């Protein structure tokens, strides 16, 4: 198995070294990864500036100690839909990002003291989390998986921020030799793939791709990397299949490509990821992470939830509660709140009505109103919920468990 760039675009740093062969698998494996090595004359000198948080190399290994900077750093996507959706989510959580100059890559969140926001490419966010230049980041799960390469220093703090949904999927042509191929098993059993003529896959996922193919029994595969739309590669004859991110699948179908059974490598959406070393060693990172996580959880849990308030005649709060709980969809988060509504009649104050308050999901809203009316509810008021704070978010307990705390 080999990987060769279709459109190499080398921008080497003068301090970096290039190798002609890099193995992604143990030496006993028969898979090979081949990278192109440009000639010395093709390299342009690039000035490399070291940040305050430097990474040193000791005995050929990266020194993974946490740098001595004081600021906590959060990496956010710098461009595209993921960038705008991330800023919108943070704003909804009362964590608006403030930029003095939109051209600058650094910003702040006033509600979080001693925190710097750095706008970066998603893959660079993951790399800088590993190098210690960032402490927290919001990126797609696919990016964490591809560029994190299973590194245990990366911890998923929140694994479902509910935007950026897509899947990493293998797609093959709908025509020719693939016309009747509809599963990974059938693809692996095709006799065409040999060491001399391997299956050619165009992808940008050169870490996850080879692992996925090996796990599915495809031994004779070569991977090509290319910039731009991969969907054209099979029609141009430079690849047999593509491994790429898919949202709706419309672009694949319009280019006569199809997904196959077992061909989805992973499901992805935006996630909050952190450096284990930063959480354990850098002052204030764990507390800041806790606050961000609680704000995210409270907002995300409240999406699509409504507060329903209604008045209901009854002889007692218990009797009203009994009627409400007779309808399963009226139980709310932990049960209805029932409180007396005092009225003055004939000079006396008495609770002729009881007010009930429940939390209802949007999809069950109208049905719940009908049920309330059926058991004597009136004057129904409905308002959206902005935040739902639990006694303690389950993800915080999970994070502490991962850290051994």
């Amino acid at each position: 198995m080999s990987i060769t760039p279709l459109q190499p675009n080398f921008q080497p740093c003068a301090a970096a070294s290039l190798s002609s062969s890099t193995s992604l698998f143990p030496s006993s494996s028969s898979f090979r990864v081949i990278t192109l090595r440009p000639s010395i004359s093709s390299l342009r000198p690039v000035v490399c500036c070291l940040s305050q948080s430097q990474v040193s190399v000791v005995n050929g290994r990266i020194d993974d100690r946490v740098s001595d900077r004081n600021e906590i750093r959060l990496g956010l996507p710098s461009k595209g839909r993921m960038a705008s959706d991330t800023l919108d989510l943070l704003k909804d959580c009362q964590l608006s990002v403030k930029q003095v100059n939109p051209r600058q890559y650094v910003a702040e969140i006033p509600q979080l003291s001693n925190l710097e926001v750095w706008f970066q490419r998603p893959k660079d966010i993951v790399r800088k989390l590993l190098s210690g230049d960032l402490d927290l980041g919001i990126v797609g799960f696919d990016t964490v998986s591809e560029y994190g390469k299973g590194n245990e220093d990366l911890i998923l703090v929140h694994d479902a921020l509910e935007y950026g949904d897509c899947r990493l999927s293998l797609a093959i042509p709908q025509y020719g030799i693939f016309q009747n191929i509809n599963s990974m098993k059938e693809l692996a059993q095709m006799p065409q793939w040999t060491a001399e003529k391997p299956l050619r896959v165009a992808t940008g996922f050169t870490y996850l791709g080879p692992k996925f193919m090996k796990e599915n029994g495809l031994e004779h595969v070569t991977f090509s990397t290319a910039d731009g739309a991969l969907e054209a590669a099979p029609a141009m004859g430079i690849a047999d299949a593509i491994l790429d991110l898919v949202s709706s699948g419309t672009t694949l179908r319009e280019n006569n490509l199809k997904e196959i059974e077992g061909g989805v490598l992973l499901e992805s959406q935006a996630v909050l990821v952190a450096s284990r070393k930063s959480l354990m060693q850098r002052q204030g990172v764990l507390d800041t992470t806790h606050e961000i996580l609680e704000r995210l959880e409270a907002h995300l849990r409240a999406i699509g939830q409504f507060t329903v308030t209604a008045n209901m005649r009854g002889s007692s709060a218990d009797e009203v509660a009994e009627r409400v709980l007779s309808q399963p969809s009226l139980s709310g988060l932990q049960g209805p709140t029932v409180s007396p509504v005092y009225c003055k009649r004939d000079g006396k104050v008495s609770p002729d009505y009881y007010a009930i308050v429940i939390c209802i999901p949007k999809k069950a809203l109208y049905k719940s109103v009908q049920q309330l009316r059926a058991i004597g509810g009136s004057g129904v008021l409905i308002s959206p919920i902005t935040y739902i704070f639990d006694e303690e978010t389950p993800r915080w307990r999970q994070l502490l468990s991962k850290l051994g705390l």
Side-chain angles (χ1 to χ4, degrees):
M1 179 182 296
S2 62
I3 299 178
T4 53
L6 294 179
Q7 298 175 358
N9 182 20
F10 296 99
Q11 294 180 344
C13 172
S17 62
L18 298 172
S19 63
S20 60
S21 179
T22 305
S23 176
L24 293 182
F25 303 102
S27 57
S28 60
S29 172
S30 61
F31 297 89
R32 294 184 302 112
V33 176
I34 301 174
T35 59
L36 293 183
R37 181 175 184 175
S39 63
I40 297 299
S41 61
S42 68
L43 301 181
R44 292 185 300 158
V46 178
V47 178
C48 297
C49 300
L50 294 177
S51 64
Q52 181 181 359
S53 167
Q54 297 182 359
V55 178
S56 58
V57 177
V58 180
N59 296 327
R61 298 184 62 185
I62 294 179
D63 183 0
D64 60 358
R65 291 174 297 177
V66 172
S67 63
D68 57 359
R69 59 179 167 79
N70 296 319
E71 302 81 12
I72 300 169
R73 291 179 177 173
L74 167 66
L76 300 183
S78 56
K79 295 180 181 179
R81 180 67 179 272
M82 180 71 78
S84 60
D85 286 351
T86 299
L87 294 178
D88 288 343
L89 173 64
L90 292 174
K91 182 179 179 180
D92 290 339
C93 297
Q94 302 299 311
L95 295 174
S96 294
V97 177
K98 303 297 183 183
Q99 282 181 279
V100 177
N101 185 334
R103 293 181 179 273
Q104 291 181 337
Y105 289 98
V106 64
E108 65 175 5
I109 297 177
Q111 291 81 3
L112 300 174
S113 61
N114 201 37
L115 179 118
E116 294 179 344
V117 173
W118 285 84
F119 293 101
Q120 302 283 298
R121 295 184 302 176
K123 63 182 179 182
D124 289 336
I125 291 175
V126 177
R127 289 167 174 167
K128 290 176 181 178
L129 283 168
L130 291 173
S131 69
D133 291 300
L134 292 174
D135 305 305
L136 299 160
I138 294 180
V139 291
F141 179 63
D142 59 289
T143 305
V144 175
S145 302
E146 172 67 17
Y147 295 96
K149 300 182 179 181
N151 193 303
E152 293 183 354
D153 187 55
L154 294 178
I155 292 184
L156 289 182
V157 179
H158 198 299
D159 60 354
L161 296 181
E162 299 186 9
Y163 66 95
D165 291 25
C166 60
R167 58 188 178 274
L168 180 57
S169 185
L170 184 77
I172 60 176
Q174 299 177 0
Y175 48 85
I177 60 174
F178 299 103
Q179 185 172 359
N180 297 318
I181 302 300
N182 297 299
S183 69
M184 286 297 297
K185 182 178 180 181
E186 293 173 348
L187 182 64
Q189 292 175 345
M190 292 179 69
Q192 284 89 343
W193 319 128
T194 65
E196 293 74 24
K197 189 179 179 181
L199 174 70
R200 300 169 301 161
V201 180
T203 187
F205 293 85
T206 56
Y207 170 74
L208 295 174
K211 290 181 60 179
F212 179 68
M213 290 300 185
K214 182 180 179 182
E215 291 167 358
N216 282 274
L218 279 153
E219 297 183 359
H220 305 298
V221 185
T222 181
F223 286 83
S224 299
T225 60
D227 295 328
L230 297 180
E231 290 85 1
M236 293 177 69
I238 57 179
D240 301 305
I242 68 170
L243 181 65
D244 201 11
L245 295 176
V246 179
S247 295
S248 65
T250 301
T251 304
L252 291 179
R253 292 189 292 272
E254 290 177 347
N255 286 274
N256 295 316
L257 299 175
K258 63 182 177 181
E259 296 177 88
I260 56 178
E261 181 184 349
V264 176
L265 197 156
L266 58 80
E267 300 283 348
S268 180
Q269 62 178 297
V271 299
L272 173 63
V273 63
S275 161
R276 180 188 297 269
K277 291 190 294 291
S278 292
L279 291 171
M280 296 292 291
Q281 301 176 31
R282 190 180 301 286
Q283 183 176 0
V285 174
L286 193 59
D287 289 338
T288 297
T289 302
H290 188 195
E291 180 172 347
I292 294 174
L293 179 60
E294 284 215 304
R295 287 174 177 263
L296 290 171
E297 286 277 72
H299 169 66
L300 292 173
R301 190 175 182 194
I303 292 177
Q305 298 285 338
F306 289 80
T307 297
V308 177
T309 304
N311 289 336
M312 189 176 298
R313 282 187 178 274
S315 58
S316 67
D318 290 344
E319 186 267 330
V320 171
E322 186 80 25
R323 271 190 281 160
V324 174
L325 290 174
S326 68
Q327 307 294 325
S329 64
L330 300 181
S331 59
L333 294 177
Q334 296 171 323
T337 298
V338 182
S339 54
V341 177
Y342 291 96
C343 302
K344 191 172 184 179
R345 296 180 183 277
D346 300 326
K348 295 182 180 180
V349 176
S350 62
D352 291 340
Y353 284 87
Y354 289 84
I356 64 168
V357 181
I358 53 178
C359 180
I360 298 294
K362 183 177 182 179
K363 61 183 179 181
L365 195 57
Y366 185 67
K367 179 181 179 181
S368 299
V369 171
Q370 289 179 309
Q371 290 180 346
L372 276 171
R373 288 171 173 168
I375 59 175
S378 63
V380 180
L381 303 178
I382 298 173
S383 57
I385 298 176
T386 306
Y387 305 102
I388 299 176
F389 284 94
D390 283 324
E391 183 176 350
E392 184 180 272
T393 169
R395 283 189 171 86
W396 174 245
R397 294 195 294 270
Q398 293 169 10
L399 176 60
L400 294 181
S401 177
K402 291 177 184 177
L403 297 173
L405 300 176

